[in-house]
Amino acid sequence: MRNLRVRVPQEEGADPEREMSYDIAQQVFEVRTALGLTQGELAERSGTKQPAVSGVESAKKLPTLGLLLRIAAALDRRLVIRFEKIEDSE
């Protein structure tokens, strides 16, 4: 199995949107490869093009909710979004 080459930024105060993009990239890559799908096959199942899937997996930008829903359905997954309380660092 191929390893995802996206690196999560380690800087303090990193951009939360960028961090979320990395997390999404990792999850999409892991599920897609576990199912034995190519980016092109996932794109076809998602109703998009391969460069869109590549963009998600490379964390170039945060994907739209619509694209995430289509990708989740194509991977036979349910998209879950929740708000969690931020813990104090003290």
Side-chain angles (χ1 to χ4, degrees):
M1 181 189 283
R2 248 182 59 209
N3 287 329
L4 184 62
R5 290 183 236 163
V6 174
R7 293 180 183 236
V8 177
Q10 299 297 319
E11 308 112 33
E12 199 172 300
D15 177 16
E17 189 171 308
R18 188 80 172 144
E19 288 179 7
M20 185 171 286
S21 293
Y22 284 109
D23 186 45
I24 291 167
Q26 185 71 42
Q27 291 182 60
V28 171
F29 174 83
E30 287 176 3
V31 175
R32 177 183 63 76
T33 56
L35 293 173
L37 297 173
T38 66
Q39 288 182 346
E41 291 167 332
L42 177 55
E44 188 174 317
R45 290 182 179 196
S46 302
T48 191
K49 304 219 183 258
Q50 182 274 333
V53 173
S54 176
V56 170
E57 289 189 3
S58 64
K60 289 183 180 175
K61 66 178 188 172
L62 192 61
T64 65
L65 182 56
L67 180 56
L68 287 176
L69 287 166
R70 293 194 314 272
I71 288 173
L75 295 172
D76 197 28
R77 299 294 189 270
R78 182 171 58 102
L79 179 64
V80 177
I81 299 172
R82 66 176 172 265
F83 292 93
E84 296 178 344
K85 185 170 176 18
I86 298 172
E87 300 295 324
D88 290 335
S89 58
E90 294 179 16

